[in-house]
Every structure is written in structure tokens, then in C-alpha cells.
Amino acid sequence: MLSTVQLMYAYTQWADTRMFAALTRLNDEQWTRALSSSHTSIRDTAVHTISAQWLWLSRWRDNAKPQLWNSADFPTPGSLHTRWVELAKELQAFVAAQTTESLQADQTITSLKGEVSTQQLGGMMLHVANHSTYHRGQVATLLRQLGQTPEITDLILYLRQQRQSGTSHS
């Protein structure tokens, strides 16, 4: 599981970087425009995606009861990107510190609804990577609704690029 978690977090960072490249092409109105999706706007969807990564990392570190970020605190894609750059470093360090044993260890967390559950850390980490992929797909759809061209964030493209650069994951 260790190599899978490492792969999925390297991929998530790569894909988030590509998502932010597309978001920088938006003007303020496009960033906050109400569109039809599970979150109101591209901003709300992107903030949810990145703040969920932070929320889970916070839980894993100290079992705190963090809250998702407020979208209004991110008036531009750049403001979210700045926060993400720091988060990406923290996630990278957290992933690098994991072992097979730590990923198999149970962690008990409290959901935003106050529900307590216990799961292996590795499973939770894979969930977060998958959750990010799901919402990046929504961002891509919302970008298309605005006439924008999203960056391709498919896992297979990441794997191909890694293979070509000689840094492929096993």
C-alpha cells in the first residue's frame, strides 16, 4: 500500500498543479459565477477540493476537528493557489514520513457531522486522493461551461510523463 499511496499523492500534486494552471485563466466573474454542480461555482468547488485535503491532513496529524475553508476567503484563483502551495509541501512531507506499518494503523476521526469512525490511515489517504480526482473532474466540466479548456489530469497521462522522464512509479 505504501507505493500506491506515494503514487497517488504525487499524482494528486501534479494534477492539482495542472488544475491551477487552468484556473489562472479565469477572470473574477468566472471564478465566482454560479454554475450547476455540487458546489455553486468553480471557486467553491476548487476551495472544497483543496480544503478537504487540508482537513484530512489536520485530522491525521492531531485528530483535531477542523472545518472546511470558507470560499469567500479566496477572492481569486491566485489566493487559493498560494494556500495550496504550502499545503502541498505539508502533504508531501506527511506522505514521505509514512511506512507500511503507519498506513496499516487504525485512526479514529470525527466527521464534520460529528460521527466518529475508525479506519486504516492508508485507506483514508487513498480516499482523499480519490476525492480530489472527483472534484477536479467537476472543475473541468465547469471550465468547459465557461468556454475554457481545462488541463488534462488523467492518471495515465501522469504515468506516461513519469515514464518518459525516467521517474516512473512501480
Side-chain angles (χ1 to χ4, degrees):
M1 170 154 319
L2 181 59
S3 64
T4 301
V5 167
Q6 292 167 336
L7 165 65
M8 291 309 296
Y9 276 80
Y11 160 69
T12 296
Q13 186 168 358
W14 172 87
D16 285 350
T17 299
R18 293 178 66 84
M19 176 184 73
F20 278 111
L23 296 179
T24 62
R25 297 189 290 267
L26 298 176
N27 62 39
D28 292 349
E29 187 276 330
Q30 292 171 320
W31 174 238
T32 58
R33 184 187 301 174
L35 299 166
S36 181
S37 188
S38 59
H39 299 278
T40 305
S41 63
I42 291 177
R43 175 187 65 184
D44 293 353
T45 306
V47 169
H48 173 81
T49 305
I50 302 305
S51 73
Q53 294 173 9
W54 172 84
L55 179 138
W56 281 93
L57 178 62
S58 297
R59 287 173 173 162
W60 301 331
R61 284 180 168 166
D62 59 16
N63 201 20
K65 296 180 186 177
Q67 297 296 311
L68 291 170
W69 298 341
N70 182 344
S71 293
D73 293 338
F74 301 95
T76 65
S79 61
L80 180 60
H81 182 260
T82 298
R83 188 93 179 259
W84 172 78
V85 167
E86 290 305 312
L87 172 62
K89 291 175 190 173
E90 293 175 36
L91 276 168
Q92 189 175 38
F94 185 81
V95 170
Q98 299 313 304
T99 63
T100 299
E101 294 75 23
S102 69
L103 294 176
Q104 292 173 346
D106 282 346
Q107 275 208 345
T108 301
I109 58 105
T110 303
S111 75
L112 293 174
K113 295 178 183 177
E115 299 164 344
V116 177
S117 65
T118 301
Q119 199 85 35
Q120 285 186 344
L121 175 61
M124 287 190 273
M125 291 183 75
L126 291 175
H127 161 74
V128 173
N130 185 61
H131 177 266
S132 296
T133 298
Y134 175 78
H135 287 298
R136 278 191 306 271
Q138 290 181 325
V139 168
T141 296
L142 295 171
L143 286 166
R144 286 185 185 97
Q145 288 180 24
L146 294 174
Q148 298 283 330
T149 303
E151 299 290 327
I152 298 170
T153 59
D154 290 340
L155 177 60
I156 196 67
L157 178 60
Y158 171 76
L159 294 171
R160 287 175 183 153
Q161 288 182 356
Q162 294 303 299
R163 184 179 192 104
Q164 289 172 349
S165 70
T167 58
S168 64
H169 290 87
S170 51

